[in-house]
Amino acid sequence: MTIQHRPEIKDLQPYRPGKPIADVKREYGLTHVVKLASNENPLGYSDQVGEAIRQALDHLSLYPDGNCTDLKNALAAKFGLHPSQILPSGGSDEMVDMISKAYVNPGDEVIIADVTFPRYISTAKMMGGTPVVVPLKEFTYDLESMYEAITDKTKLIWLCNPNNPTGTMFGEKALLEFLDKVPAHIMVIYDEAYNEYVTREDYPKEAYKLINDYPNVLVMRTFSKIYGLAALRIGYTMANEEIITALNKIRNPFNVSSIAQMAAIAALSDQDFVAKAYRLNQEGKEYIYHAFDEMGITYASSEANHIFFNCQYDTQKIFSEMQKRGVIIRPMFDTYARVSIGTMEENQLFVHTLKEVFTILEAKKESACGCDCCTCK
């Protein structure tokens, strides 16, 4: 007999990560592969982080500090908060799960943008919640329509700013106007994983201060992006003490490893590395923008470390042809794809390969005669 799982997960699809570089090399017989699919820091991590990790290796036989005391204190000092207002987690993914587990009941409505981080919607469904999906407006969160979607069943609202995968953002004025209107019993989760990459002056750079004025707001950040600690899975959430206490009740014991804690503390102290990564990202973004403009490719203006663009052909076809040539990007839907900004060498290879693929696909399109000959396939 088959053991029945909970009905809420029947139609959920598992997360499908891209193929590892090693697998792509083996499959296509390649010696060099560039991965520009997961918004990782092309500089890696800082030297200070490397030293902290080496020191942490001496303590692998011991359980980590389950309270993340030193990391909480470091974050509290950085943001002027109390440690009780901060909760580290195993990346943002774990925190998204924890929030839904702690607050979403069957039938609760969860407002989500239609093109955004997919774990928002899957965790809502996992808990029996009802996703209320609001379309983006010009690739950007439509806060007015999200407010209009509120009903007496609304429990959570997810905001990703800058947004993943589009890289677009909304400003501080729009955010504050939205929060002023949202009823206090509705939780607003403000995910700013790409905060450190933003260049626009109207971005709410100090959004963490909102938790003191809006008790229903949670602010999420991560060490996976500009700090380059994606493999260690560490993020953190800032909220009022009541919310942090509730989330802490369902947190897995020792959910953040000692290595991750020590690496995160070291990463916070090396702002020169952060500034270097920021500059590299800006240079790469402008280079890709210029190439896209020359190629006639439309794209969303990004405030993150990735660019959402219209690749003009079926996104899976573009992805496949690029991967065969050693460049991995992220297919999204229809003709849209996302490319992470890499080193200048990686960005140049991406543009060169994309042009090559476009030329091949255009030639096939022009030579197609409707038959099944080798030329038209």
Side-chain angles (χ1 to χ4, degrees), residues 151-194:
T151 71
D152 58 358
K153 295 182 179 180
T154 302
K155 191 63 169 291
L156 304 181
I157 301 174
W158 287 96
L159 304 179
C160 187
N161 194 38
N163 186 35
N164 177 21
T166 61
T168 54
M169 59 152 278
F170 49 86
E172 184 170 16
K173 182 175 181 292
L175 175 61
L176 293 178
E177 290 176 350
F178 179 76
L179 295 178
D180 285 339
K181 294 188 296 184
V182 173
H185 67 275
I186 296 174
M187 182 176 289
V188 179
I189 305 99
Y190 183 76
D191 185 348
E192 52 177 8
Y194 300 92

Side-chain angles (χ1 to χ4, degrees), residues 283-295:
E283 293 168 0
K285 184 166 62 174
E286 292 304 322
Y287 170 79
I288 295 175
Y289 280 175
H290 180 70
F292 280 172
D293 290 340
E294 287 188 334
M295 297 170 69

Side-chain angles (χ1 to χ4, degrees), residues 16-21 24 27-28 30 33-38 309 311-339 350 353-354 357-358 361:
R16 291 185 173 85
K19 288 184 179 179
I21 289 176
V24 174
E27 182 173 352
Y28 298 107
L30 301 170
V33 172
V34 171
K35 182 186 176 188
L36 299 174
S38 300
F309 68 102
C311 56
Q312 303 176 4
Y313 294 89
D314 177 79
T315 187
Q316 289 293 336
K317 182 176 291 187
I318 290 289
F319 163 76
S320 177
E321 292 297 330
M322 295 284 287
Q323 185 168 260
K324 289 177 185 177
R325 292 161 176 81
V327 179
I328 308 172
I329 61 174
R330 188 71 167 181
M332 300 308 302
F333 57 88
D334 299 334
T335 60
Y336 288 95
R338 186 191 71 194
V339 60
F350 159 71
T353 306
L354 186 63
V357 169
F358 274 11
L361 294 178

